[in-house]
Amino acid sequence: MNKELTGKVVIVTGAGGGIGREIALAMAAYGAKVVVNDLGTSSSGEGANMGPGESVVQEIRNAGGEAVLDGHSVAGWDDAHAIVQTAIDTYGRLDCVVNNAGILRDRIFYKMSKDDWEQVVAVHLMGSFYVSRAAADIFKEQNSGSYVHMTSTSGLIGNLGQANYSAAKLGVAALSKSIALDMAKFNVRSNCIAPFAWTRLIGTLPENTEAERVRAQRFRAMDAAKIAPLAVYLASDQGSEVSGQIFSVRSNEIMLFGQPRPICSVHRSEGWTLESIAGHAIPALKRGFYPLERSPDVINWDPV
């Protein structure tokens, strides 16, 4: 295997299982030294167990790679800096941060508690900011670095019963784009992946209706390992010109989500009134309304 990441040090948060585990293993297989960050909490963020993270570290070492376990929480400013310090203390540098750690506390919006909201936002959005910010000074000083953030189509297009998760994941996408702009002059890039894969978190989704069962069956066919190669590419020098983008991986398909921009407009030289908005603007703009019941169209591209 090509050791594209030889000499690089990568932090992968939430690396004890699922997509994070597969990314950590792939990074190591391509030559990176990996900080395996994981608290070993339940899918809702409760408890702690270093066992899953230790298992990934041992798996990497057994395959001839280098890895170290870190058990700090991404959801705290000081802990996030401690995660980055683990990389510096152990390996003397840092080249890539993969913000993958996450929890789920799904509730229909009108039943969602303050704690459900705050805990999910703390891990996904605040955690992505805290760890990214902790690495920023290092990346800036060495004039290089890469961020790979896990967003979600739940954030990009919305999802039932996931107001907390959706809001946090859309925030992660916006955070990534802003980091890409702010850090470009230091040769630091930032990208997002919205993964489709069967993981422990996805396994918590309900299967009460036929539609939910069909969705779960579809996800079960999507291997988390198929997400990892794109993350490796974005961390590698081959991805040095890719920044500010949002990708999605669905089984054998890679999708690029377009940049948010107006898709249609109407103009009225004398300005708008309530009556003209209702009678003209909205009817004219309806051709661009996005149907809630379907996913965005994608381009199927099969290279010859």
Side-chain angles (χ1 to χ4, degrees):
M1 178 178 285
N2 174 23
K3 297 295 185 179
E4 180 70 28
L5 300 181
T6 297
K8 294 188 182 296
V9 177
V10 179
I11 291 172
V12 183
T13 69
I19 294 169
R21 172 184 177 274
E22 297 297 339
I23 291 175
L25 294 176
M27 293 289 188
Y30 278 90
K33 300 172 183 177
V34 184
V35 176
V36 175
N37 166 261
D38 198 88
L39 288 180
T41 66
S42 68
S43 59
S44 60
E46 297 164 339
N49 178 9
M50 295 297 102
E54 289 174 350
S55 177
V56 174
V57 168
Q58 195 58 52
E59 193 170 351
I60 290 172
R61 290 175 178 171
N62 289 345
E66 294 188 53
V68 63
L69 179 64
D70 180 273
H72 293 94
S73 170
V74 302
W77 175 269
D78 291 339
D79 271 18
H81 280 74
I83 296 170
V84 170
Q85 196 61 45
T86 295
I88 300 303
D89 290 346
T90 307
Y91 300 121
R93 62 177 296 117
L94 178 62
D95 300 279
C96 178
V97 169
V98 180
N99 284 312
N100 170 77
I103 63 172
L104 283 180
R105 293 194 180 185
D106 292 353
R107 298 281 189 280
I108 201 73
F109 172 69
Y110 52 82
K111 292 185 177 180
M112 186 169 289
S113 71
K114 178 175 179 287
D115 193 54
D116 291 336
W117 172 268
E118 289 181 346
Q119 293 302 315
V120 170
V121 171
V123 174
H124 289 278
L125 181 55
M126 303 298 283
S128 293
F129 168 74
Y130 288 154
V131 182
S132 296
R133 178 62 185 85
D137 290 339
I138 295 168
F139 287 171
K140 181 173 174 286
E141 183 176 348
Q142 69 192 24
N143 204 47
S144 67
S146 175
Y147 295 102
V148 181
H149 313 272
M150 292 296 148
T151 185
S152 172
T153 51
S154 292
L156 300 175
I157 63 177
N159 200 15
L160 182 69
Q162 289 193 316
N164 49 4
Y165 180 76
S166 298
K169 286 302 192 183
L170 188 56
V172 168
L175 172 66
S176 176
K177 287 180 176 292
S178 294
I179 290 173
L181 292 170
D182 287 347
M183 299 292 284
K185 62 183 176 182
F186 305 112
N187 296 311
V188 177
R189 56 198 189 275
S190 180
N191 295 283
C192 283
I193 300 176
F196 288 84
W198 184 258
T199 66
R200 180 179 62 137
L201 292 188
I202 295 297
T204 66
L205 296 178
E207 297 184 43
N208 300 320
T209 67
E210 182 60 25
E212 290 172 346
R213 286 189 288 272
V214 169
R215 178 180 64 170
Q217 190 61 36
R218 189 168 65 245
F219 271 115
R220 286 191 181 95
M222 299 180 188
D223 186 356
K226 292 185 176 182
I227 312 299
L230 179 56
V232 171
Y233 169 80
L234 293 173
S236 75
D237 292 340
Q238 293 191 53
S240 61
E241 296 185 359
V242 181
S243 191
Q245 303 304 314
I246 302 173
F247 299 93
S248 186
V249 180
R250 181 173 61 184
S251 190
N252 296 322
E253 181 179 31
I254 294 178
M255 295 171 276
L256 176 67
F257 278 78
Q259 309 297 323
R261 64 188 66 187
I263 58 176
C264 55
S265 67
V266 290
H267 177 263
R268 188 170 185 262
S269 58
E270 61 268 43
W272 294 97
T273 64
L274 172 62
E275 292 74 19
S276 61
I277 289 172
H280 177 69
I282 298 304
L285 292 172
K286 274 186 176 179
R287 67 181 183 272
F289 280 14
Y290 189 78
L292 290 175
E293 67 275 8
R294 69 172 176 86
S295 297
D297 295 330
V298 297
I299 298 173
N300 292 308
W301 177 62
D302 221 347
V304 177

